[in-house]
């Protein structure tokens, strides 16, 4: 159903055998990393709410972003030992895949941290960087204040840092624990962070952004976003990245704003356009290289949670 939180009983683990031989153009890969992401909740609905996300089929293997190593190849551009990635990697330990659908990776670009290709140097980092570049209208020297919700998440933690690198003069994060807030400020260079589970978010935001908010990187939607939008300046910009607070609810994407907030948005001419990173794949290569450069220079701090 659309309304509801996924539980363990919605999934099962199977053991099966794999074909001994691979066909021309195929490779056999061993899986090293799989990415678990919020959008996957949408794929558990028959109607995913978007034309680019296909629903997971019952009794089929789940899939998503993955990284692995080639164990055998009958593809002209891939050899045994190559590291590869795909956005539709099946959740299985070993797989036979079409070599044309795989992208070859250069581990040196991320100092050997292959999991980064699913995060800071992958679709997550691209979403943060291209979201800010395409929809944030950040300009060096314009004295802009940026707020990031879900700021300690994979995308948010990068977005705040990239906002600063692109020219924002003030970056404030919103997260759900004191520990997350302290990591954002001490490790990732945010000017301040608000624990939305403590105190009054609207009051704290007014203190931290006395000149109002110019750019809002929105990962969560819901009440938090309503609070931020009500403090946004005229001609400011919302980067509509995700609405994670709404994914277990039966609402369209992007969810409509409450009438009072929609009125503010229209009166102040605040942009709130749906942002889809797949529409900017012509900029992928240059953007990934930029992200890797920042990682190598220590300008982009990365935290990854890896579960075996």
């Amino acid at each position: 159903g659309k309304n509801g939180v996924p539980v363990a009983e919605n999934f099962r683990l199977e053991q099966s055998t794999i074909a001994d031989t691979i066909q021309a153009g195929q490779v056999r890969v061993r899986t090293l990393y799989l990415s678990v992401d919020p959008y996957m909740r949408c794929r558990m609905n028959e109607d995913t709410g978007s034309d680019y996300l296909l629903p997971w089929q019952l009794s089929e293997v789940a899939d998503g972003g993955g990284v692995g190593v080639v164990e055998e190849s009958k593809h002209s551009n891939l050899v045994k030992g190559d590291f590869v990635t795909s956005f539709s990697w099946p959740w299985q330990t070993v797989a036979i895949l079409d070599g044309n659908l795989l992208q070859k990776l250069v581990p040196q670009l991320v100092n050997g941290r292959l999991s980064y290709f699913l995060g800071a140097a992958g679709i997550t980092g691209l979403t943060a960087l291209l979201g800010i570049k395409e929809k944030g209208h950040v300009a060096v020297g314009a004295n802009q204040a940026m707020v990031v919700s879900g700021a300690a998440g994979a995308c948010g933690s990068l977005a705040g840092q990239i906002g600063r690198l692109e020219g924002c003069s003030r970056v404030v994060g919103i997260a759900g624990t004191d520990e997350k807030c302290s990591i954002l400020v001490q490790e990732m260079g945010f000017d301040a962070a608000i624990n939305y589970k403590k105190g009054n978010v609207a009051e704290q935001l007014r203190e931290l952004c006395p000149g109002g908010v110019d750019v809002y990187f929105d990962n969560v939607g819901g009440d938090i976003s309503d609070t931020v939008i009500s403090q946004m300046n005229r001609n400011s910009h919302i980067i509509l990245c995700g609405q994670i607070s709404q994914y277990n609810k039966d609402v369209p994407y992007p969810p409509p704003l409450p009438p009072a907030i929609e009125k503010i948005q229209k009166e102040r001419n605040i942009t709130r356009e749906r942002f889809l990173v797949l529409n900017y794949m012509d900029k992928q290569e240059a953007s990934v290289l930029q992200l890797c450069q920042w990682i190598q220079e220590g300008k982009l701090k990365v935290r990854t949670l890896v579960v075996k």
Side-chain angles (χ1 to χ4, degrees):
K2 281 190 173 185
N3 285 310
V5 179
V7 291
E9 288 71 36
N10 297 140
F11 304 89
R12 72 173 182 266
L13 193 60
E14 290 185 348
Q15 281 200 320
S16 57
T17 53
I18 204 157
D20 292 334
T21 54
I22 59 173
Q23 308 298 317
Q26 291 184 327
V27 292
R28 189 176 79 237
V29 292
R30 183 164 48 84
T31 302
L32 298 174
Y33 295 99
L34 296 167
S35 185
V36 184
D37 300 288
Y39 78 86
M40 292 174 162
R41 174 62 187 87
C42 307
R43 298 192 67 189
M44 295 179 71
N45 294 337
E46 203 165 10
D47 174 9
T48 62
S50 98
D51 44 13
Y52 69 94
L53 279 184
L54 295 173
W56 278 338
Q57 299 299 314
L58 290 174
S59 298
E60 292 289 318
V61 178
D63 70 312
V67 165
V69 61
V70 175
E71 290 192 323
E72 188 188 347
S73 173
K74 285 193 177 170
H75 188 278
S76 53
N77 293 340
L78 297 169
V79 298
K80 184 179 177 179
D82 279 349
F83 294 106
V84 289
T85 187
S86 161
F87 199 56
S88 50
W89 194 286
W91 280 22
Q92 50 194 61
T93 51
V94 179
I96 293 173
L97 303 175
D98 178 350
N100 289 334
L101 303 179
L102 298 173
Q103 210 177 337
K104 204 153 136 179
L105 299 172
V106 182
Q108 294 84 339
L109 286 174
V110 288
N111 304 327
R113 306 286 294 271
L114 285 168
S115 66
Y116 283 15
F117 285 118
L118 296 178
I123 206 91
T124 316
L126 283 172
T127 302
L129 176 58
L130 291 169
I132 288 167
K133 277 187 172 294
E134 300 295 329
K135 300 289 185 187
H137 304 275
V138 173
V140 177
N143 199 28
Q144 289 160 301
M146 177 191 220
V147 172
V148 183
S149 58
C155 212
S157 60
L158 299 169
Q161 298 179 75
I162 291 168
R164 166 65 44 73
L165 289 165
E166 288 291 307
C168 285
S169 58
R170 186 152 191 74
V171 179
V172 176
I174 302 174
T177 70
D178 288 345
E179 185 196 6
K180 288 177 181 177
C181 289
S182 110
I183 289 168
L184 290 174
V185 174
Q186 289 168 18
E187 202 174 297
M188 302 195 167
F190 283 63
D191 293 288
I194 296 169
N195 179 347
Y196 70 88
K197 293 180 182 172
K198 282 184 172 176
N200 185 311
V201 175
E203 275 174 24
Q204 293 178 71
L205 203 53
R206 263 191 293 277
E207 281 170 30
L208 294 169
C209 299
V213 177
D214 302 296
V215 185
Y216 173 38
F217 199 100
D218 183 9
N219 287 303
V220 303
D223 295 345
I224 295 284
S225 290
D226 297 346
T227 303
V228 177
I229 294 167
S230 62
Q231 295 189 32
M232 291 184 75
N233 292 324
R234 185 159 182 73
N235 302 323
S236 55
H237 304 282
I238 298 167
I239 301 160
L240 198 58
C241 176
Q243 302 281 285
I244 197 169
S245 72
Q246 309 296 306
Y247 288 170
N248 289 322
K249 299 175 186 172
D250 185 5
V251 292
Y253 186 86
L257 295 169
I261 303 300
E262 191 176 8
K263 188 166 180 268
I264 289 172
Q265 184 213 336
K266 288 194 168 133
E267 283 173 355
R268 296 184 197 165
N269 193 34
I270 301 168
T271 64
R272 182 182 183 256
E273 298 157 0
R274 187 169 181 170
F275 167 70
L276 180 57
V277 71
L278 302 176
N279 289 345
Y280 302 96
M281 283 296 111
D282 55 320
K283 299 181 178 172
Q284 177 186 7
E285 205 173 325
S287 301
V288 168
L289 289 174
Q290 173 66 84
L291 291 162
C292 291
Q293 188 184 333
W294 281 336
I295 291 167
Q296 287 173 341
E297 291 171 354
K299 289 178 179 171
L300 205 53
K301 303 283 193 295
V302 182
R303 276 203 171 212
T304 314
L305 175 66
V306 180
V307 179
K308 192 166 173 61

